[in-house]
Amino acid sequence: TPQQQFFHLLMENIFGVLSGYLREPLPLRFNSTPAGNYTDRDFVADLRALIEALKPVVAPRTARVILLIDEMDVINTYDTLVQQQLRRIFMSSQAYNLGAVVAGIQISKAWDRVESPWYNMFNEIQVDPFPQDEARRLLVEPVRGVYEWEGPALDFVLAHAEGRPYRLQQYGLQAVNHMLAEGRERINLADVEAAERLI
C-alpha cells in the first residue's frame, strides 16, 4: 500500500466491517475524499463518527475496534511523519475504543527522531516455529473441503518450512496458485516444488 493511501485503506477495511452494524448511513469523509488526499485527520474524524454510531448498538458493552494488520514491517518504508501520524491515532482519545494486533517479519528499530516510535505502543511477542501438528493444521484446515493436499506435497512443505508460520503460508499460497493455474483441486508435489522456486 503506498503511504499516501494508507489511512484510506485502513478506513476502507474498518468501514467494510462496521457498516453492517450501523443503523443508518454516515456522512464519512472516506466516501468523498480520494484515497491520495485522505489524511490521518480524516481517518480520526471518520473513526470517531463510526465509534459514536456503534456505541448505542453495542450498549451496555464498550465499543471496541481491534485491527489485525499483517506485514506491518512495511510501515518502516513510510516517511517518519506517516509513522508518527499512525502513532498519534493510537495515542488520541480514540485509543480507548481502538486497539491493534500487528505482525511483521523484521520490524526495524532504527529511529532517528525525538518522538517515541510507533512500535513502542505494542508489546512484542516472537512467534516461535510451530510444532509439526500445528504446522500441518495451518496448511490443511483453511482449505479443507475446497482443496486437498497429497501426502508427499504436505511432507515437502513441512520439511522445508521448518514450522515457520510465514514460510508455511508462503508455501501454501504459492502451491495453491500453481495448482489453480493447472486447473486442479489437489495440491501435489509439482505445486510445492513450483512454490519452492518462487519463494
Side-chain angles (χ1 to χ4, degrees):
T1 303
Q3 68 179 18
Q4 298 84 354
Q5 298 176 16
F6 178 70
F7 293 108
H8 193 271
L9 180 70
L10 270 184
M11 183 50 65
E12 179 181 335
N13 285 278
I14 292 169
F15 180 72
V17 172
L18 298 184
S19 61
Y21 297 94
L22 301 177
R23 294 179 175 161
E24 55 189 48
L26 287 178
L28 300 178
R29 296 178 186 185
F30 159 77
N31 294 319
S32 58
T33 307
N37 296 336
Y38 189 83
T39 68
D40 62 306
R41 295 184 189 281
D42 295 319
F43 178 88
V44 168
D46 285 348
L47 183 63
R48 183 178 297 117
L50 280 168
I51 289 172
E52 288 304 315
L54 282 176
K55 285 180 178 178
V57 175
V58 300
R61 295 170 294 162
T62 301
R64 293 276 293 162
V65 176
I66 307 298
L67 306 177
L68 174 58
I69 308 175
D70 199 2
E71 300 179 25
M72 194 64 173
D73 36 348
V74 172
I75 203 167
N76 288 324
T77 65
Y78 291 177
D79 291 340
T80 52
L81 176 61
V82 176
Q83 295 179 35
Q84 286 302 105
Q85 290 168 339
L86 176 66
R87 183 179 185 279
R88 259 197 313 270
I89 290 167
F90 286 99
M91 299 298 292
S92 73
S93 59
Q94 299 306 310
Y96 180 72
N97 303 98
L98 180 68
V101 176
V102 300
I105 300 296
Q106 185 69 40
I107 295 176
S108 172
K109 299 297 176 70
W111 191 255
D112 60 355
R113 302 210 20 144
V114 175
E115 305 93 345
S116 180
W118 66 268
Y119 51 78
N120 274 5
M121 300 178 304
F122 296 94
N123 296 322
E124 188 174 333
I125 300 170
Q126 181 173 332
V127 178
D128 293 325
F130 286 178
Q132 194 84 342
D133 60 329
E134 287 182 30
R136 181 181 305 275
R137 194 169 29 249
L138 179 63
L139 292 168
V140 173
E141 290 305 318
V143 297
R144 184 179 300 283
V146 182
Y147 309 126
E148 287 185 46
W149 283 86
E150 291 184 358
L154 190 57
D155 293 341
F156 181 96
V157 173
L158 292 172
H160 287 80
E162 300 173 333
R164 293 171 294 173
Y166 179 67
R167 187 64 76 199
L168 288 161
Q169 291 176 329
Q170 282 183 305
Y171 272 107
L173 174 65
Q174 297 301 335
V176 166
N177 286 342
H178 188 269
M179 173 201 69
L180 291 174
E182 297 285 316
R184 292 179 279 104
E185 294 181 356
R186 289 179 63 84
I187 305 163
N188 64 27
L189 191 56
D191 298 322
V192 296
E193 287 172 342
E196 169 86 353
R197 289 190 295 275
L198 288 170
I199 295 169

